[in-house]
Amino acid sequence: MAGNAAVIAVCGHEAAYGRALEGRLGPDVDIVPNGRALFRAAAARLRRGERVVVVPMTLGREPGLVADTARTLRAVPDAGRGAVLLAEPFGTAQHLVAWLRAAAGRVPADSAILLAAPSGDPFEDAELHRVAALVRRYGRHELVEVAFDGSDPGPAGGVRRCALLGAERVALLPASFAAVGPGGAGPVPVADAGPLVPDPALRRVLDERVADAHRRWDEHGDDGITTGLAAADHHGHAHTHPPGEGHGHSHGHDHDHGSAHGHPHEHGPGTGHRHHHHPSAAGADLGIRSIA
């Protein structure tokens, strides 16, 4: 997977600071939380003479992870001259909606869906409510609720709420890399509808992010770090391709994406561009249905 560079997957609460991805990304990928662990991992790889590509493992609910990662990498000695590349984040909120829709398609229509994820800050938790509304709007399930591991409502409370709203059974669907259990026996049967992203798809999307980081450096001299510093202001990098989709590049500089490079692209279905056109959740689903 690493190709000609070491790959580091940097994790926040969406991946339980790395615990949720252990053993899932392949033996050549370092999985670390941001901060001191990332600093040490990158510095160690550089001392071995390896180029480093760092992928922020967010699904769109943790935009601060990208900016925090960029700040950490900027402090790593000898990180210049393309020795350390910051890839685009693993996913965006649009990707999360599409993955959840694909997973919900495997759940019987008469079941309620409970989207469960580790709790973040109030804005990140509010984003999950927005995501749930889109999953319900573009899906076939009448009841789509949310629950948070570490906040209210917790998974058990979410199940009880579904039951109070008339659900006779509940499908618990993780809206993060981390699995979240129902928290004990509930008033209605609860089925595990995870994982959100199967392991082969995890590795494939990670490979795409790494390849894109190499391409951005080779073609534009952009290591991603300067762009990443402003990521929290724009909820991720200014330019993101949907998981599982390749893309063609034509470098005529016809328009600017708001990142360190501006160039027209040929995109597959469901491509999301920040700062100008946002396709619908229905369109996003087309791009990832084959891998979710």
Side-chain angles (χ1 to χ4, degrees), residues 94 238-240 255-257 267-281 283-284:
Q94 180 183 345
H239 173 197
T240 302
H255 66 275
D256 183 12
H257 289 270
H267 293 276
T271 296
H273 282 271
R274 299 192 179 274
H275 306 316
H276 48 100
H277 176 61
H278 293 263
S280 70

Side-chain angles (χ1 to χ4, degrees), residues 52-94:
V52 177
V53 181
V54 178
V55 183
M57 299 303 291
T58 174
L59 292 168
R61 288 185 55 239
E62 202 171 1
L65 177 64
V66 181
D68 290 344
T69 297
R71 283 189 283 271
T72 298
L73 295 180
R74 191 171 58 170
V76 175
D78 302 319
R81 303 177 305 280
V84 175
L85 306 179
L86 177 59
E88 293 181 349
F90 183 92
T92 67
Q94 180 183 345

Side-chain angles (χ1 to χ4, degrees), residues 1-289:
M1 173 181 290
N4 63 346
V7 177
I8 300 177
V10 61
C11 305
H13 65 76
E14 288 179 285
Y17 302 97
R19 295 186 302 275
L21 292 173
E22 291 177 359
R24 302 183 63 191
L25 299 180
D28 298 329
V29 179
D30 294 337
I31 301 172
V32 298
N34 186 39
R36 187 172 300 175
L38 172 60
F39 182 95
R40 290 175 174 172
R45 291 289 192 171
L46 289 173
R47 286 195 297 269
R48 299 175 198 167
E50 299 174 281
R51 175 186 275 186
V52 177
V53 181
V54 178
V55 183
M57 299 303 291
T58 174
L59 292 168
R61 288 185 55 239
E62 202 171 1
L65 177 64
V66 181
D68 290 344
T69 297
R71 283 189 283 271
T72 298
L73 295 180
R74 191 171 58 170
V76 175
D78 302 319
R81 303 177 305 280
V84 175
L85 306 179
L86 177 59
E88 293 181 349
F90 183 92
T92 67
Q94 180 183 345
H95 300 149
L96 178 59
V97 171
W99 266 315
L100 287 167
R101 288 190 59 217
R106 301 189 292 267
V107 175
D110 60 350
S111 175
I113 291 180
L114 182 62
L115 305 184
S119 178
D121 66 31
F123 295 98
E124 293 167 357
D125 290 355
E127 178 70 359
L128 186 58
H129 284 278
R130 187 187 73 87
V131 166
L134 290 172
V135 172
R136 181 181 181 276
R137 171 75 177 271
Y138 293 105
R140 59 195 179 97
H141 297 84
E142 293 185 4
L143 190 59
V144 179
E145 293 292 318
V146 301
F148 299 98
D149 187 15
S151 186
D152 185 50
V159 171
R160 289 194 295 270
R161 174 173 172 77
C162 289
L164 289 172
L165 292 173
E168 296 183 358
R169 52 180 173 171
V170 175
L172 188 64
L173 180 57
S176 70
F177 298 107
V180 180
V188 294
V190 179
D192 183 358
L196 176 62
V197 184
D199 289 0
L202 280 176
R203 293 188 286 268
R204 183 159 57 248
V205 175
L206 191 68
D207 280 347
E208 289 184 3
R209 295 293 174 261
V210 172
D212 280 347
H214 283 299
R215 184 181 299 111
R216 187 173 58 212
W217 172 257
D218 292 341
E219 297 179 356
H220 303 284
D222 178 12
D223 63 10
I225 294 176
T226 299
T227 304
L229 290 170
D233 297 333
H234 304 292
H235 292 265
H237 276 280
H239 173 197
T240 302
H241 293 282
E245 285 294 306
H247 54 274
H249 288 255
S250 170
H251 300 284
H253 296 275
D254 289 346
H255 66 275
D256 183 12
H257 289 270
S259 66
H261 67 286
H263 50 276
H265 298 263
E266 299 167 9
H267 293 276
T271 296
H273 282 271
R274 299 192 179 274
H275 306 316
H276 48 100
H277 176 61
H278 293 263
S280 70
D285 187 44
L286 296 174
I288 58 86
R289 183 178 297 278

